[in-house]
Amino acid sequence: MAKEMWKPGNMLYPVPPVLVTCQNKKGESNMLTVAWAGTVCSTPAMLSISVRKERYSHAMLMETGEFVVNLPTEDLVWETDEAGVRSGRDINKWEKLHLHQEEGKVLSVPMISECPVNMECKVKQVLELGSHDLFLAEIVAVHVDSSLLDEKKRLQLEKAKLLAYSHGQYFGLGKVLGSFGFSVRKGAKKNKGK
């Protein structure tokens, strides 16, 4: 396979586009789309989001140190994109996108009702990186739509039809190709793309 040099930049794709909700101390809330988000620690459960300083929500995040990561579905792709290209300085995104606030159970930040998974997060550290600030946060509560749980209360996230984002395009997550550790299970054989 021939490879060419490419300009530096974010090449770690696909990424999960998430809807982040935040609120200032006056109780005014906003949402923004963040594509640079990810798990950073399992114990304690932590994640990170990267946000530009000029974003309207940046000041809210700095003021309260709280936010909710809401996982959007394929049915919310338009709202996910719109929340990322419009500013809360100019519009009320809750009204414009017809999304509904659900009260947080641990923090004061609202969750998005239409998203099947909501993670309430408390900022532990902010790292200034350049164009973006990285917010490292502990996940203090996770809320999952009951339709994603089987009879044994195991999470079946593949049922959620979550989104992926890669180089300016949104994708629905496709079929399951394997599960963690399947390659070393007894009798496992490599799938040759069939």
Side-chain angles (χ1 to χ4, degrees):
M1 174 184 316
K3 295 183 180 170
E4 295 184 27
M5 290 288 287
W6 196 255
K7 62 183 183 240
N10 185 15
M11 294 301 295
L12 186 58
Y13 281 111
V15 294
V18 298
L19 289 168
V20 173
T21 48
C22 52
Q23 182 170 284
N24 63 23
K25 291 184 178 176
K26 293 190 263 183
E28 301 164 332
S29 65
N30 191 46
M31 71 181 76
L32 73 154
T33 303
V34 173
W36 294 348
T39 302
V40 295
C41 188
S42 56
T43 306
M46 294 182 73
L47 58 75
S48 69
I49 61 171
S50 290
V51 180
R52 287 184 177 273
K53 288 183 173 91
E54 63 267 17
R55 295 291 299 259
Y56 177 66
S57 294
H58 187 278
M60 291 181 183
L61 293 166
M62 293 297 287
E63 183 180 333
T64 65
E66 298 179 353
F67 61 90
V68 177
V69 171
N70 304 273
L71 301 185
T73 63
E74 291 177 14
D75 291 339
L76 295 172
V77 67
W78 186 89
E79 291 83 355
T80 301
D81 187 65
E82 187 80 0
V85 298
R86 304 279 182 212
S87 175
R89 285 185 189 94
D90 306 322
I91 62 168
N92 180 321
K93 292 184 190 180
W94 295 102
E95 291 175 8
K96 169 82 173 162
L97 303 177
H98 306 288
L99 295 175
H100 300 92
Q101 295 184 33
E102 186 175 335
E103 194 173 315
K105 307 297 187 237
V106 176
L107 305 175
S108 60
V109 179
M111 304 182 295
I112 300 174
S113 288
E114 289 79 2
C115 291
V117 178
N118 317 92
M119 293 172 272
E120 295 185 71
C121 301
K122 185 79 177 151
V123 175
K124 294 298 181 186
Q125 188 177 0
V126 180
L127 299 173
E128 292 187 49
L129 302 177
S131 63
H132 291 67
D133 281 350
L134 179 76
F135 293 83
L136 289 169
E138 183 173 351
I139 303 168
V140 296
V142 178
H143 311 280
V144 178
D145 190 293
S146 60
S147 69
L148 300 179
L149 301 175
D150 69 11
E151 63 281 347
K152 293 182 179 177
K153 301 292 185 195
R154 288 181 300 215
L155 181 60
Q156 297 178 302
L157 202 52
E158 67 277 6
K159 288 184 173 181
K161 297 186 177 180
L162 298 177
L163 297 173
Y165 179 81
S166 183
H167 294 280
Q169 296 182 306
Y170 298 95
F171 297 88
L173 294 178
K175 66 181 180 178
V176 175
L177 301 176
S179 60
F180 180 76
F182 82 100
S183 64
V184 295
R185 290 191 192 114
K186 187 175 181 176
K189 294 186 180 175
K190 183 176 179 183
N191 181 345
K192 302 269 185 187
K194 296 178 183 176

